[in-house]
Amino acid sequence: MGFLQDKRILVTGVASHRSIAWGCAAAMRREGAEIALTYQNDKLKGRVEELADQLDSDIVLPLDVSTDWQIAHLFGTLAEHWDGLDAIVHSIAYAPKQELAGDYGEVLTRDGFTAAHEISSYSFGAMAKASKPLMAGRNGALLTMTFIGSVRAVPNYNVMGLAKASLEANVRYLAASLGPEGTRVNAISSGPIHTLAASGISHFRSMLKQVERHTPMRRAVTAEEVGNAAAFLCSDLASGITGDVLYVDTGFHILGMG
Ligand code: 0WE
């Protein structure tokens, strides 16, 4: 029996079989969870439905986090399928592409800042709030994905770094808020992974190569490895862990000069 047997878990952010969210959903299914997936737009719908099929799931719902009514609608529809929800994986981020290349002080705009924070951080709190009726009182878990650019100045990561810092603060405030309900809230800080989202980023490949050369384990982390840690954090095995950021990055964050 898997360690997520009989858990119902909503996974957002699946765009392809390389997605971190897919690594999470697959690991969670392997451990016995029932999975529901969301897709961001009609272009991704068919692909996500095929992936859901591989998880024996037919709960595939639209979610674009840029409006509150879509978030409300998601949990309304989910409640027609499930009478409760045990965990949510939030694997959603966005900044305008032109703000993820070049010098921070040159490429920053008000609109880019707003979009990055709204889509990448606010959406996590909004989902936590909207899911409360389904999640309260069942030892639930919320999980989001962050990156070391939240706490270090990573070249080109720019305004996404600010948004991830906000997201990590969101994890702590939500953990304090929802702890009394029995809901735990955590983040995984993943090392860089070559996903569909990453392929839209200039210099990503050279940065990945550099991490592979220097990180203690001399290789990039995989979506499967992030998925295994995600499955653990959403399970009762992690019942004493909340408000925290777990680095799943083949050790990169422990390095100093060298
Ligand atoms: O958080 C991220 C990137 C998320 C992301 C990706 C895109 C691509 C397409 C956010 N917004 C957009 N906007 C788009 O238009 N990562 C942790 C991956 C990443 O992105 C970087 C990285 C790493 C690592 C950008 C610059 C430098 C390093």
Side-chain angles (χ1 to χ4, degrees):
M1 201 174 93
F3 60 75
L4 288 170
Q5 201 68 43
D6 300 324
K7 299 278 192 191
R8 289 167 164 175
I9 304 184
L10 175 71
V11 179
T12 68
V14 172
S16 80
H17 67 279
R18 288 194 305 197
S19 297
I20 292 174
W22 174 251
C24 295
M28 289 168 172
R29 178 63 191 154
R30 186 195 69 220
E31 296 302 332
E34 282 180 64
I35 307 293
L37 298 182
T38 69
Y39 59 93
Q40 193 209 335
N41 55 51
D42 286 338
K43 210 179 82 185
L44 291 169
K45 185 180 181 192
R47 173 89 64 92
V48 176
E49 281 173 346
E50 280 172 32
L51 289 166
D53 191 58
Q54 295 179 36
L55 305 172
D56 315 301
S57 170
D58 54 8
I59 310 178
V60 181
L61 306 170
L63 175 65
D64 180 329
V65 294
S66 59
T67 62
D68 283 331
W69 70 261
Q70 286 213 33
I71 295 171
H73 187 257
L74 168 73
F75 291 105
T77 313
L78 196 62
E80 294 170 11
H81 295 267
W82 288 345
D83 56 11
L85 180 63
D86 297 296
I88 300 176
V89 177
H90 174 275
S91 187
I92 292 170
Y94 173 78
K97 195 176 170 172
Q98 61 277 14
E99 301 219 6
L100 297 177
D103 184 86
Y104 173 67
E106 301 288 335
V107 300
L108 179 67
T109 67
R110 184 183 297 272
D111 284 353
F113 176 97
T114 302
H117 283 72
E118 188 176 337
I119 303 302
S120 313
S121 177
Y122 173 76
S123 65
F124 187 52
M127 288 187 69
K129 194 176 170 188
S131 68
K132 254 172 105 165
L134 274 172
M135 293 205 56
R138 27 191 311 141
N139 300 324
L142 304 178
L143 181 68
T144 188
M145 295 299 150
T146 187
F147 182 62
I148 196 171
S150 62
V151 289
R152 311 277 173 78
V154 172
N156 302 308
Y157 200 62
N158 297 346
V159 76
M160 266 311 301
L162 283 71
K164 290 300 195 188
S166 165
L167 178 67
E168 290 174 22
N170 220 334
V171 166
R172 292 184 285 271
Y173 277 85
L174 288 170
S177 168
L178 300 174
E181 316 246 348
T183 305
R184 298 176 299 102
V185 188
N186 293 290
I188 288 176
S189 188
S190 173
I193 299 179
H194 195 229
T195 63
L196 204 57
S199 60
I201 290 153
S202 48
H203 314 304
F204 184 86
R205 219 175 268 273
S206 65
M207 192 201 51
L208 192 62
K209 285 275 166 287
Q210 195 174 310
V211 168
E212 286 169 347
R213 264 201 308 281
H214 295 287
T215 195
M217 295 178 72
R218 299 291 192 273
R219 63 170 179 82
V221 75
T222 66
E224 291 70 27
E225 289 171 322
V226 173
N228 286 334
F232 162 70
L233 283 173
C234 289
S235 79
D236 297 335
L237 293 173
S239 58
I241 305 175
T242 194
D244 215 355
V245 178
L246 177 63
Y247 280 78
V248 183
D249 68 345
T250 59
F252 186 79
H253 75 285
I254 66 154
L255 296 177
M257 289 177 280

